[in-house]
Amino acid sequence: MSDRSTPRALRMAQPLARQVAEEVAKQYGVCIRPVPLKRLDTHTGQWEIIDAPCGATLDSKCSPCAKRNRQLRMAQCREGWHLDQEPVITPDEPNDEQRWLIEFRADIHAQRDAADQAGQDTADLDAVISGLDEEINAAGMRGNVLGRTVPKRNRSTRRRQDAPDLPKRKMINSTLGRTFTGSDGKIYRPSLFVTLTLPSYGKIRNGVPVNPDSYDYARAARDALHFSKLVDRFVQNLRRVAGYDVQYFAAVEPQKRLAPHLHMAIRGTLPRAEIKQIAAATYHQVWWPPTDQVVFDGERLPVWVDDAGYLDPATGEVLPAWDQALDQLDADEAGEPLHVVRFGVQVDVQGVLAGTADADQCIRYLSKYLTKSISDSLDPDDQARREHAGRMAEALRFEPCSPTCPNWLRYGVQPKNARPGMTPGQCRGKAHKPEHLGYAGRRVLVSRKWSNKTLAEHKQDRRIWVLEALGQPDEPTDPHRYVWKPVPAGDANVPPLAMRLLRSVAERQRWRVHMARLQAEADGQDLSATEQAGRAA
Ligand SMILES: [Zn+2]
Ligand SMILES: [Zn+2]
């Protein structure tokens, strides 16, 4: 950033200026780790460098972004938990924010592919893309933007996962739970706060296995990888038993032993014993090819041949493609799932009443860890836990994280969408990273009919947040107006961070003034409406 032509005094002053700017930015809730992006205004032909908040583009957020995100989530959780009327869900047209996010993602994706073709490292762009995918989902769009490109496989009925043996109530078309009327005529709206954990993998003391050699790291790794599927199953079973369209707001967090666990606010109530019964009966089978035999290892790895795929280096035989491997598994009468995930016996169920201190406490608890990643919870001085995390990461290294994971090559199967350059043990998937330790899913899970009014409000909030940080006025814009490109590291056109932070603060101030004026105008209108009503009466 500083070169020889910068006077020495100025060079010395820069770190200090940066610290000060950071403090000011924090006070204003402005992102302190902005991601510089190049923006082409197709109307004017001008390129500009624009800072995107890290919270909108990256998985890990800086403290102001994390704080802002947490506040949004808390508000959203509070809004939906004890709704007393069915939320009105209108499948909304993609709005500007959504369109913008999708276009932006498309641009970044094109960049990523170009970088990949050129043999460059795509890790940073991949991180931006996965951050954008989360943001796109959060903006109210379902599924992934690429859509389902291949029809879903129809697995033979033999393999269909049976609904576990649980009581079933007749379904009613409601998302609200039952209410109770007190002797004073007051209506009580009880709900649940449920905590679900994974099973034991060995005795733990202070977050560390007492005996690391016998601790079942392999099982812990697979359970973490498939945890989100298990949660999906739990919700399906919960709805069947409850007999209504149960809504939830849940957060996935690392336990001290570094296994993911789930806190879930549930609208409505069920008997505690039934929740425990559902948790005990819920399981998820992973029907993936077996990995108990290492076929290729070390120097002996499959080789890529264009138009053929990966070959056995010794025999020249083409390895089974992903779909072929699944067909083989289907055809094998004795075939077994690669893994079966279940919850542990520790299930905590707490009854909560609307509007109580208890409910508030739970909401704070639900959002408590949203600002932290798994690695953040590791004390640098806590050698034993760091070693524990290291062993967990090692267990995940060769574990296939998804059908597209390069690790499948190790077990003699071509990954789905195989392409050149795949090496087992070097998957860039989120699940393998030390800050995720197997769980690559979303940290906050909110059911579709959790709330209504908030969704629009939160979207609006997010939109303002993103636009504001991008220096775009919040007005309908031509969605094709801007083209975005990432800025290569060390680009000389990017001003020093301190300057960029202060620019964002100034922008935020302008926004506040603008919003305050709009608010004052709105209040003024209300006032005159009331006055008129008063006069008419
Ligand atoms: Zn940030
Ligand atoms: Zn992987």
Side-chain angles (χ1 to χ4, degrees), residues 31 39 92 117 137 217 325 331 384 420 456 469 471 507 514:
C31 176
R39 187 183 73 180
D92 29 25
Q117 289 282 310
N137 281 318
Y217 281 101
E507 198 64 45
H514 179 65

Side-chain angles (χ1 to χ4, degrees), residues 195-199 227 255 257 260-262 342-344 346-347:
T195 300
L196 297 167
T197 54
L198 283 167
F227 186 66
Q255 278 179 298
R257 61 170 177 158
H261 74 158
L262 182 90
R342 292 176 182 282
F343 290 113
Q346 237 183 64
V347 178

Side-chain angles (χ1 to χ4, degrees), residues 396-397 399-402 404-407 427-432:
L396 282 156
R397 184 159 168 226
E399 199 60 54
C401 67
S402 69
T404 56
C405 185
N407 286 347
C427 176
R428 293 244 184 76
K430 214 166 143 181
H432 302 282

Side-chain angles (χ1 to χ4, degrees), residues 191-440:
S191 61
L192 293 176
F193 187 73
V194 174
T195 300
L196 297 167
T197 54
L198 283 167
S200 167
Y201 310 113
K203 201 168 161 35
I204 292 279
R205 196 178 298 139
N206 296 325
V208 183
V210 172
N211 183 355
D213 292 334
S214 66
Y215 189 80
D216 197 344
Y217 281 101
R219 180 162 196 96
R222 288 184 183 175
D223 279 1
L225 284 170
H226 302 287
F227 186 66
S228 51
K229 282 285 193 322
L230 184 65
V231 173
D232 286 351
R233 297 255 165 228
F234 175 77
V235 171
Q236 285 166 14
N237 292 333
L238 177 68
R239 286 183 175 152
R240 261 192 219 115
V241 174
Y244 69 100
D245 192 6
V246 178
Q247 301 299 305
Y248 59 90
F249 181 105
V252 179
E253 286 161 10
Q255 278 179 298
K256 201 165 180 204
R257 61 170 177 158
L258 303 176
H261 74 158
L262 182 90
H263 297 300
M264 186 179 247
I266 292 173
R267 186 150 83 227
T269 191
L270 268 80
R272 202 169 296 225
E274 275 184 9
I275 297 282
K276 295 198 171 185
Q277 203 185 344
I278 297 165
T282 297
Y283 63 93
H284 170 68
Q285 296 180 332
V286 183
W287 284 101
W288 281 356
T291 60
D292 36 15
Q293 262 188 42
V294 175
V295 185
F296 301 105
D297 193 16
E299 298 290 290
R300 229 186 115 255
L301 293 176
V303 287
W304 171 267
V305 173
D306 283 341
D307 302 322
Y310 280 98
L311 316 183
D312 182 321
T315 65
E317 216 176 318
V318 181
L319 303 186
W322 177 251
D323 275 327
Q324 289 171 328
L326 287 190
D327 288 344
Q328 273 173 24
L329 183 64
D330 266 357
D332 180 2
E333 284 291 328
E336 296 202 340
L338 171 66
H339 187 57
V340 180
V341 209
R342 292 176 182 282
F343 290 113
V345 286
Q346 237 183 64
V347 178
D348 190 70
V349 186
Q350 193 186 331
V352 181
L353 279 176
T356 56
D358 257 7
D360 267 0
Q361 178 67 37
C362 290
I363 291 167
R364 272 197 300 278
Y365 200 71
L366 266 172
S367 59
K368 186 169 147 195
Y369 292 93
L370 293 186
T371 54
K372 293 199 170 84
S373 79
I374 288 190
S375 50
D376 284 345
S377 72
L378 289 176
D379 176 352
D381 293 334
D382 193 342
Q383 191 58 30
R385 275 189 84 224
R386 296 174 67 79
E387 280 169 15
H388 174 46
R391 284 188 296 266
M392 183 70 184
E394 198 46 42
L396 282 156
R397 184 159 168 226
F398 289 113
E399 199 60 54
C401 67
S402 69
T404 56
C405 185
N407 286 347
W408 284 113
L409 292 173
R410 181 177 171 86
Y411 309 105
V413 172
Q414 297 200 53
K416 192 178 170 181
N417 307 331
R419 52 185 175 84
M422 294 179 122
T423 311
Q426 292 180 24
C427 176
R428 293 244 184 76
K430 214 166 143 181
H432 302 282
K433 297 197 167 137
E435 63 266 37
H436 293 285
L437 289 184
Y439 181 77

